[in-house]
């Protein structure tokens, strides 16, 4: 791991986008086509079979699949997905590419997909990755021909076959992440912050201010991209408003958001974990209020909310190379590492 992320290549170095996409592997009794919303039940069954076999530390809900493939503003499943379908309508493999909405500076296309365990070791994964990379290059040429970009995907620790597949396709490990959890049976420390700062519940009326605070708080983070109002609203099917909070600075007539914590409730993951958990999706403190225990106050408030609803653990993810001091903050509050993942990418 390196402390400095290598710069993206200038767009002049980008290879020409392929005129045609590589054909997926020919499998007897399997036809290939794009996905549509009517495929959701069959897709959910395929993903469930893959996750049952691979046993990642999460499970994907049908709502998440709908958001990822069909609901977002950047989704176009007719051209950005491909699936292997049997004569009776069962799915045996799928792949998708997606350009993150609103990204204009740090442009990213993310890949996703899966192959049913019964049809693995037949070249399907290799063929689908080749299709994904080619379609990603086309998409980048269509949307951002003059902007450096990254084709990327996340791989959980222990997925050696997937890592080997990506490496053969030209991907390299780019960034490392760690999941942390905190036992809520342990005492939760009291946190004191300045009297002018108040921890308050998140409300819908504050949401766009939270978005703006997030853009400011993460402006100096690696791979940061300002969130547009449209992008901010996507992927919220598991958002838990009852577990989400803001710190308001009321020291003047102009009330401002100093920090925020947004939580998710991913109940479909709990059987895989073996415990219930409140998950911190986003935590940020604006520069003016850093060093004033705002993040600590938000985390301990969220812990109490999780515990009050019967959760056994609090959890979150952290960039292991982040120089914000976040890892030390979490360790000081009793968080311990549980697993990791790696961002793999091709720079284009």
């Amino acid at each position: 791991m390196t402390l400095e992320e290598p710069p993206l290549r200038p767009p002049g170095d980008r290879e020409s986008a392929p005129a045609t996409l590589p054909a997926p592997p020919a499998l007897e009794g399997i036809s290939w086509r794009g996905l549509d919303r009517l495929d959701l039940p069959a897709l959910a069954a395929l993903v469930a079979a893959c996750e049952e076999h691979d046993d990642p530390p999460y499970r994907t809900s049908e709502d998440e699949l709908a958001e990822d493939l069909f609901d977002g503003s950047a989704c176009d499943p007719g051209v950005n997905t491909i699936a292997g379908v049997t004569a009776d309508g069962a799915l045996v493999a799928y792949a998708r590419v997606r350009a993150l909405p609103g990204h204009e500076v740090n442009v990213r296309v993310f890949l996703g997909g899966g192959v049913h365990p019964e049809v693995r070791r037949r070249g399907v994964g290799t063929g689908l990755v080749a299709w994904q990379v080619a379609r990603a290059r086309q998409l980048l040429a269509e949307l951002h021909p003059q902007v450096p970009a990254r084709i990327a995907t996340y791989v959980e620790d222990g997925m050696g076959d997937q890592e080997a597949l990506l490496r053969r396709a030209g991907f390299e490990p780019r960034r490392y992440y760690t999941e942390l959890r905190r036992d809520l049976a342990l005492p939760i420390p009291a946190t004191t912050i300045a009297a002018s700062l108040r921890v308050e519940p998140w409300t819908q009326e504050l949401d766009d201010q939270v978005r703006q605070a997030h853009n400011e708080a993460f402006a100096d983070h690696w791979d940061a991209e300002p969130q547009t109002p449209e992008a901010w609203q996507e992927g919220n099917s598991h958002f838990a408003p009852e577990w989400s909070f803001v710190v308001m600075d009321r020291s003047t007539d102009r009330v401002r958001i100093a920090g925020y914590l947004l939580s998710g409730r991913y109940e479909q993951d709990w059987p895989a974990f073996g415990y219930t958990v409140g998950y911190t999706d986003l935590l940020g403190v604006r520069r003016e209020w850093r060093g004033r225990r705002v993040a600590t106050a938000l985390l301990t408030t969220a812990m109490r909310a999780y515990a009050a609803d019967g959760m056994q653990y609090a959890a979150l993810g952290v960039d292991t190379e982040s120089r914000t001091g976040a890892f030390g903050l979490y360790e000081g509050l009793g968080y311990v590492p549980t697993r990791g993942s790696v961002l793999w990418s091709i720079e284009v």
Side-chain angles (χ1 to χ4, degrees):
M1 292 182 286
T2 60
L3 290 178
E4 293 296 333
E5 179 64 20
L8 296 178
R9 292 189 303 173
D13 291 344
R14 180 175 298 169
E15 297 178 17
S16 299
T20 59
L21 297 175
L27 297 177
E28 184 177 355
I30 306 298
S31 60
W32 295 92
R33 60 166 173 79
L35 290 165
D36 64 41
R37 187 175 290 275
L38 294 177
D39 292 313
L40 261 177
L43 179 61
L46 167 61
V47 171
C50 292
E51 292 179 345
E52 180 67 23
H53 182 272
D54 298 327
D55 197 25
Y58 57 80
R59 295 296 182 266
T60 304
S61 71
E62 191 168 310
D63 285 344
E64 288 175 306
L65 291 171
E67 288 175 341
D68 188 43
L69 278 80
F70 306 112
D71 293 342
S73 60
C75 294
D76 190 352
V79 294
N80 291 333
T81 68
I82 191 169
V85 189
T86 65
D88 61 1
L91 299 187
V92 297
Y94 86 101
R96 67 103 172 102
V97 301
R98 187 184 183 199
L100 296 186
H103 283 213
E104 301 292 340
V105 178
N106 297 308
V107 178
R108 305 292 178 265
V109 174
F110 275 89
L111 314 183
V115 178
H116 196 285
E118 293 180 1
V119 297
R120 294 182 183 179
R121 310 292 181 182
R122 296 166 66 180
V124 179
T126 298
L128 289 182
V129 170
W131 182 92
Q132 288 173 308
V133 171
R135 179 56 193 145
R137 290 186 183 278
Q138 288 183 339
L139 194 59
L140 288 168
E142 294 166 12
L143 300 176
H144 304 284
Q146 297 301 317
V147 180
R150 176 170 289 142
I151 301 170
T153 189
Y154 291 98
V155 180
E156 298 290 329
D157 285 356
M159 301 292 184
D161 287 348
Q162 190 173 351
E163 291 178 349
L165 181 67
L166 292 171
R167 196 179 293 278
R168 290 196 299 270
F171 287 78
E172 296 180 0
R174 186 66 50 182
R175 203 77 173 182
Y176 296 79
Y177 300 88
T178 298
E179 290 292 312
L180 307 174
R181 75 178 185 187
R182 204 271 190 188
D183 188 347
L184 294 173
L186 300 174
I188 299 172
T191 304
T192 302
I193 55 177
S196 60
L197 301 177
R198 300 180 189 174
V199 181
E200 302 180 11
W202 172 94
T203 66
Q204 184 62 56
E205 291 72 24
L206 288 171
D207 192 55
D208 196 61
Q209 294 180 54
V210 174
R211 177 187 67 84
Q212 295 174 53
H214 173 77
N215 286 343
E216 181 181 321
F218 278 77
D220 55 358
H221 284 54
W222 177 79
D223 212 26
E225 183 78 26
Q227 293 283 303
T228 64
E230 295 75 20
W232 183 251
Q233 295 303 320
E234 294 186 4
N236 286 336
S237 64
H238 295 288
F239 174 57
E242 70 279 12
W243 292 345
S244 299
F245 303 91
V246 295
V247 169
M248 307 296 290
D249 186 339
R250 298 184 178 276
S251 60
T252 68
D253 290 340
R254 180 172 171 256
V255 180
R256 294 175 293 170
I257 293 178
Y260 57 90
L261 182 151
L262 305 182
S263 294
R265 187 182 182 103
Y266 301 93
E267 295 186 30
Q268 74 278 4
D269 292 344
W270 298 349
F273 289 156
Y275 52 84
T276 58
V277 59
Y279 196 86
T280 297
D281 282 321
L282 287 176
L283 171 66
V285 179
R286 298 168 77 176
R287 180 174 296 277
E288 183 179 342
W289 289 274
R290 292 176 186 172
R292 299 173 64 180
R293 299 180 61 79
V294 170
T296 302
L298 286 164
L299 286 164
T300 54
T301 300
M303 285 182 206
R304 292 188 177 88
Y306 302 154
D309 277 355
M311 299 300 102
Q312 295 167 281
Y313 288 88
L316 48 79
V318 62
D319 180 343
T320 59
E321 296 183 27
S322 171
R323 290 186 264 181
T324 63
F327 203 95
L329 167 66
Y330 303 140
E331 282 189 319
L333 288 172
Y335 284 84
V336 296
T338 58
R339 60 184 175 90
S341 61
V342 181
L343 176 72
W344 288 72
S345 76
I346 295 174
E347 311 297 291
V348 296

